[in-house]
Short mmCIF file of all heavy atoms in Angstrom, two decimals:
data_model
loop_
_atom_site.label_atom_id
_atom_site.label_comp_id
_atom_site.label_asym_id
_atom_site.label_seq_id
_atom_site.Cartn_x
_atom_site.Cartn_y
_atom_site.Cartn_z
N PRO A 73 184.89 146.33 68.98
CA PRO A 73 184.17 145.04 68.94
C PRO A 73 184.31 144.23 70.23
O PRO A 73 183.36 143.58 70.65
CB PRO A 73 184.81 144.30 67.75
CG PRO A 73 185.41 145.38 66.91
CD PRO A 73 185.85 146.45 67.86
N GLU A 74 185.50 144.28 70.85
CA GLU A 74 185.68 143.54 72.10
C GLU A 74 184.82 144.13 73.21
O GLU A 74 184.25 143.41 74.03
CB GLU A 74 187.16 143.57 72.50
CG GLU A 74 187.48 142.85 73.80
CD GLU A 74 187.10 141.38 73.79
OE1 GLU A 74 187.02 140.78 72.71
OE2 GLU A 74 186.90 140.82 74.90
N ALA A 75 184.70 145.46 73.24
CA ALA A 75 183.86 146.11 74.23
C ALA A 75 182.39 145.76 74.00
O ALA A 75 181.63 145.55 74.96
CB ALA A 75 184.05 147.62 74.20
N ARG A 76 181.99 145.68 72.74
CA ARG A 76 180.61 145.28 72.45
C ARG A 76 180.36 143.84 72.88
O ARG A 76 179.26 143.50 73.35
CB ARG A 76 180.30 145.44 70.95
CG ARG A 76 180.24 146.89 70.49
CD ARG A 76 179.51 147.02 69.16
NE ARG A 76 180.11 146.23 68.10
CZ ARG A 76 181.11 146.65 67.32
NH1 ARG A 76 181.62 147.87 67.51
NH2 ARG A 76 181.59 145.88 66.36
N ARG A 77 181.34 142.98 72.73
CA ARG A 77 181.19 141.59 73.19
C ARG A 77 181.02 141.54 74.70
O ARG A 77 180.17 140.80 75.22
CB ARG A 77 182.42 140.76 72.77
CG ARG A 77 182.28 139.27 73.12
CD ARG A 77 183.59 138.54 73.02
NE ARG A 77 184.57 139.04 73.98
CZ ARG A 77 184.55 138.74 75.28
NH1 ARG A 77 183.61 137.94 75.77
NH2 ARG A 77 185.47 139.24 76.08
N ARG A 78 181.81 142.37 75.43
CA ARG A 78 181.67 142.41 76.88
C ARG A 78 180.28 142.91 77.27
O ARG A 78 179.68 142.43 78.23
CB ARG A 78 182.75 143.29 77.51
CG ARG A 78 184.15 142.71 77.46
CD ARG A 78 185.09 143.41 78.43
NE ARG A 78 185.19 144.84 78.17
CZ ARG A 78 186.05 145.40 77.33
NH1 ARG A 78 186.89 144.62 76.65
NH2 ARG A 78 186.09 146.71 77.16
N TRP A 79 179.77 143.91 76.52
CA TRP A 79 178.41 144.42 76.78
C TRP A 79 177.38 143.30 76.63
O TRP A 79 176.52 143.11 77.50
CB TRP A 79 178.09 145.57 75.82
CG TRP A 79 176.62 145.84 75.72
CD1 TRP A 79 175.84 146.52 76.62
CD2 TRP A 79 175.73 145.38 74.68
NE1 TRP A 79 174.52 146.50 76.20
CE2 TRP A 79 174.43 145.82 75.02
CE3 TRP A 79 175.92 144.64 73.51
CZ2 TRP A 79 173.32 145.55 74.22
CZ3 TRP A 79 174.82 144.38 72.70
CH2 TRP A 79 173.54 144.82 73.06
N LEU A 80 177.46 142.54 75.53
CA LEU A 80 176.48 141.50 75.29
C LEU A 80 176.61 140.37 76.31
O LEU A 80 175.59 139.87 76.83
CB LEU A 80 176.64 140.94 73.87
CG LEU A 80 175.60 139.89 73.46
CD1 LEU A 80 174.18 140.47 73.51
CD2 LEU A 80 175.91 139.36 72.06
N ASP A 81 177.83 139.98 76.62
CA ASP A 81 178.02 138.93 77.63
C ASP A 81 177.44 139.37 78.97
O ASP A 81 176.77 138.60 79.66
CB ASP A 81 179.51 138.61 77.78
CG ASP A 81 180.07 137.81 76.61
OD1 ASP A 81 179.26 137.30 75.80
OD2 ASP A 81 181.31 137.69 76.51
N GLY A 82 177.69 140.63 79.33
CA GLY A 82 177.18 141.13 80.61
C GLY A 82 175.67 141.20 80.65
O GLY A 82 175.05 140.98 81.71
N ALA A 83 175.05 141.48 79.51
CA ALA A 83 173.60 141.55 79.45
C ALA A 83 172.97 140.19 79.75
O ALA A 83 171.81 140.13 80.17
CB ALA A 83 173.14 142.05 78.08
N TYR A 84 173.72 139.12 79.52
CA TYR A 84 173.19 137.78 79.75
C TYR A 84 173.87 137.05 80.90
O TYR A 84 173.94 135.83 80.92
CB TYR A 84 173.23 136.97 78.46
CG TYR A 84 172.13 137.39 77.53
CD1 TYR A 84 172.40 138.11 76.37
CD2 TYR A 84 170.80 137.14 77.85
CE1 TYR A 84 171.38 138.53 75.54
CE2 TYR A 84 169.78 137.55 77.03
CZ TYR A 84 170.06 138.25 75.88
OH TYR A 84 169.05 138.66 75.07
N GLU A 85 174.33 137.83 81.87
CA GLU A 85 174.76 137.25 83.14
C GLU A 85 173.60 137.34 84.12
O GLU A 85 172.77 138.25 84.04
CB GLU A 85 175.98 138.00 83.69
CG GLU A 85 177.25 137.78 82.89
CD GLU A 85 178.43 138.52 83.49
OE1 GLU A 85 178.28 139.08 84.60
OE2 GLU A 85 179.49 138.55 82.85
N ASP A 86 173.53 136.41 85.03
CA ASP A 86 172.44 136.41 86.02
C ASP A 86 172.78 137.35 87.17
O ASP A 86 172.96 136.92 88.33
CB ASP A 86 172.19 134.98 86.52
CG ASP A 86 170.95 134.89 87.41
OD1 ASP A 86 170.05 135.74 87.25
OD2 ASP A 86 170.90 133.99 88.27
N VAL A 87 172.86 138.62 86.84
CA VAL A 87 173.18 139.65 87.83
C VAL A 87 172.32 140.88 87.55
O VAL A 87 171.88 141.09 86.42
CB VAL A 87 174.68 140.05 87.77
CG1 VAL A 87 175.57 138.88 88.14
CG2 VAL A 87 175.04 140.59 86.39
N PRO A 88 172.07 141.72 88.57
CA PRO A 88 171.40 142.99 88.31
C PRO A 88 172.34 143.93 87.56
O PRO A 88 173.56 143.86 87.73
CB PRO A 88 171.07 143.51 89.71
CG PRO A 88 172.06 142.85 90.61
CD PRO A 88 172.37 141.53 89.99
N LEU A 89 171.77 144.80 86.75
CA LEU A 89 172.56 145.75 85.98
C LEU A 89 172.11 147.17 86.30
O LEU A 89 170.92 147.49 86.17
CB LEU A 89 172.40 145.49 84.48
CG LEU A 89 172.87 144.13 83.97
CD1 LEU A 89 172.55 143.98 82.49
CD2 LEU A 89 174.36 143.94 84.21
N ALA A 90 173.04 148.01 86.72
CA ALA A 90 172.73 149.41 86.99
C ALA A 90 172.55 150.14 85.66
O ALA A 90 173.47 150.16 84.83
CB ALA A 90 173.85 150.06 87.80
N THR A 91 171.38 150.72 85.43
CA THR A 91 171.10 151.32 84.14
C THR A 91 170.93 152.84 84.18
O THR A 91 171.01 153.49 83.15
CB THR A 91 169.81 150.73 83.54
OG1 THR A 91 168.73 150.87 84.48
CG2 THR A 91 170.01 149.24 83.24
N ARG A 92 170.68 153.39 85.36
CA ARG A 92 170.50 154.85 85.42
C ARG A 92 170.95 155.37 86.78
O ARG A 92 170.50 154.88 87.82
CB ARG A 92 169.05 155.24 85.17
CG ARG A 92 168.86 156.75 84.96
CD ARG A 92 167.50 157.04 84.37
NE ARG A 92 167.33 156.46 83.04
CZ ARG A 92 167.71 157.07 81.92
NH1 ARG A 92 168.31 158.25 81.97
NH2 ARG A 92 167.52 156.49 80.75
N ARG A 93 171.86 156.36 86.74
CA ARG A 93 172.37 156.98 87.95
C ARG A 93 172.15 158.48 87.84
O ARG A 93 172.22 159.05 86.76
CB ARG A 93 173.85 156.65 88.15
CG ARG A 93 174.13 155.15 88.20
CD ARG A 93 175.62 154.82 88.26
NE ARG A 93 176.18 155.16 89.54
CZ ARG A 93 177.09 156.12 89.74
NH1 ARG A 93 177.51 156.86 88.72
NH2 ARG A 93 177.56 156.37 90.93
N ARG A 94 171.91 159.10 89.00
CA ARG A 94 171.70 160.54 89.02
C ARG A 94 172.33 161.10 90.29
O ARG A 94 172.00 160.67 91.39
CB ARG A 94 170.20 160.88 88.98
CG ARG A 94 169.89 162.38 88.95
CD ARG A 94 168.39 162.60 88.89
NE ARG A 94 167.84 162.07 87.63
CZ ARG A 94 166.56 161.75 87.48
NH1 ARG A 94 165.71 161.84 88.50
NH2 ARG A 94 166.13 161.30 86.31
N ASP A 95 173.25 162.05 90.10
CA ASP A 95 173.95 162.66 91.24
C ASP A 95 174.60 161.60 92.13
O ASP A 95 174.57 161.69 93.36
CB ASP A 95 172.99 163.52 92.07
CG ASP A 95 172.38 164.66 91.27
OD1 ASP A 95 173.08 165.18 90.39
OD2 ASP A 95 171.21 164.99 91.51
N GLY A 96 175.16 160.59 91.50
CA GLY A 96 175.84 159.54 92.24
C GLY A 96 174.95 158.48 92.84
O GLY A 96 175.43 157.54 93.47
N GLU A 97 173.63 158.60 92.65
CA GLU A 97 172.68 157.66 93.24
C GLU A 97 172.07 156.77 92.16
O GLU A 97 171.70 157.26 91.09
CB GLU A 97 171.57 158.44 93.95
CG GLU A 97 170.50 157.55 94.58
CD GLU A 97 169.34 158.36 95.15
OE1 GLU A 97 169.36 159.60 95.04
OE2 GLU A 97 168.41 157.75 95.70
N LEU A 98 171.96 155.48 92.46
CA LEU A 98 171.31 154.55 91.55
C LEU A 98 169.80 154.76 91.63
O LEU A 98 169.21 154.66 92.70
CB LEU A 98 171.66 153.11 91.92
CG LEU A 98 170.98 152.00 91.10
CD1 LEU A 98 171.41 152.06 89.65
CD2 LEU A 98 171.27 150.64 91.71
N ILE A 99 169.16 155.06 90.50
CA ILE A 99 167.71 155.27 90.51
C ILE A 99 166.97 154.23 89.68
O ILE A 99 165.74 154.15 89.77
CB ILE A 99 167.33 156.69 90.03
CG1 ILE A 99 167.75 156.91 88.57
CG2 ILE A 99 167.93 157.74 90.93
CD1 ILE A 99 167.17 158.17 87.97
N SER A 100 167.68 153.43 88.88
CA SER A 100 167.00 152.40 88.11
C SER A 100 167.99 151.31 87.73
O SER A 100 169.18 151.57 87.54
CB SER A 100 166.36 153.00 86.85
OG SER A 100 165.56 152.04 86.19
N SER A 101 167.47 150.10 87.61
CA SER A 101 168.33 148.97 87.25
C SER A 101 167.50 147.90 86.58
O SER A 101 166.26 147.92 86.61
CB SER A 101 169.01 148.40 88.50
OG SER A 101 168.05 147.85 89.39
N SER A 102 168.18 146.95 85.96
CA SER A 102 167.56 145.73 85.46
C SER A 102 167.84 144.65 86.49
O SER A 102 169.00 144.33 86.76
CB SER A 102 168.15 145.35 84.09
OG SER A 102 167.57 144.14 83.63
N SER A 103 166.79 144.12 87.09
CA SER A 103 166.94 143.19 88.21
C SER A 103 167.60 141.89 87.78
O SER A 103 167.64 141.54 86.59
CB SER A 103 165.57 142.88 88.82
OG SER A 103 164.94 144.06 89.26
N GLN A 104 168.10 141.15 88.76
CA GLN A 104 168.71 139.85 88.49
C GLN A 104 167.69 138.93 87.84
O GLN A 104 166.60 138.73 88.37
CB GLN A 104 169.22 139.24 89.79
CG GLN A 104 169.93 137.92 89.62
CD GLN A 104 170.46 137.38 90.94
OE1 GLN A 104 170.19 137.94 92.00
NE2 GLN A 104 171.20 136.30 90.87
N PRO A 105 167.99 138.36 86.67
CA PRO A 105 167.00 137.57 85.95
C PRO A 105 166.40 136.41 86.74
O PRO A 105 165.19 136.18 86.67
CB PRO A 105 167.77 137.08 84.73
CG PRO A 105 168.78 138.16 84.48
CD PRO A 105 169.20 138.61 85.85
N SER A 106 167.21 135.69 87.50
CA SER A 106 166.66 134.56 88.25
C SER A 106 165.70 135.04 89.33
O SER A 106 164.69 134.36 89.63
CB SER A 106 167.77 133.71 88.86
OG SER A 106 168.59 134.49 89.72
N LEU A 107 165.97 136.20 89.93
CA LEU A 107 165.05 136.77 90.91
C LEU A 107 163.76 137.20 90.24
O LEU A 107 162.66 136.96 90.76
CB LEU A 107 165.71 137.95 91.62
CG LEU A 107 164.85 138.70 92.63
CD1 LEU A 107 164.37 137.78 93.74
CD2 LEU A 107 165.62 139.89 93.22
N MET A 108 163.87 137.84 89.07
CA MET A 108 162.68 138.22 88.32
C MET A 108 161.84 136.99 87.98
O MET A 108 160.60 137.01 88.10
CB MET A 108 163.07 138.95 87.03
CG MET A 108 163.65 140.33 87.26
SD MET A 108 164.25 141.08 85.72
CE MET A 108 162.74 141.20 84.77
N ALA A 109 162.49 135.92 87.55
CA ALA A 109 161.76 134.70 87.21
C ALA A 109 161.02 134.16 88.42
O ALA A 109 159.86 133.75 88.33
CB ALA A 109 162.73 133.65 86.67
N GLY A 110 161.69 134.16 89.58
CA GLY A 110 161.04 133.69 90.79
C GLY A 110 159.84 134.53 91.18
O GLY A 110 158.80 134.01 91.61
#
Side-chain angles (χ1 to χ4, degrees):
E74 179 59 24
R76 291 198 302 274
R77 185 194 63 77
R78 289 197 302 272
W79 162 78
L80 184 60
D81 286 348
Y84 283 109
E85 291 181 7
D86 188 25
V87 296
L89 298 175
T91 55
R92 191 165 297 274
R93 303 174 72 246
R94 182 179 295 158
D95 300 326
E97 179 185 2
L98 176 64
I99 63 169
S100 187
S101 65
S102 178
S103 302
Q104 183 178 6
S106 58
L107 177 59
M108 290 174 63

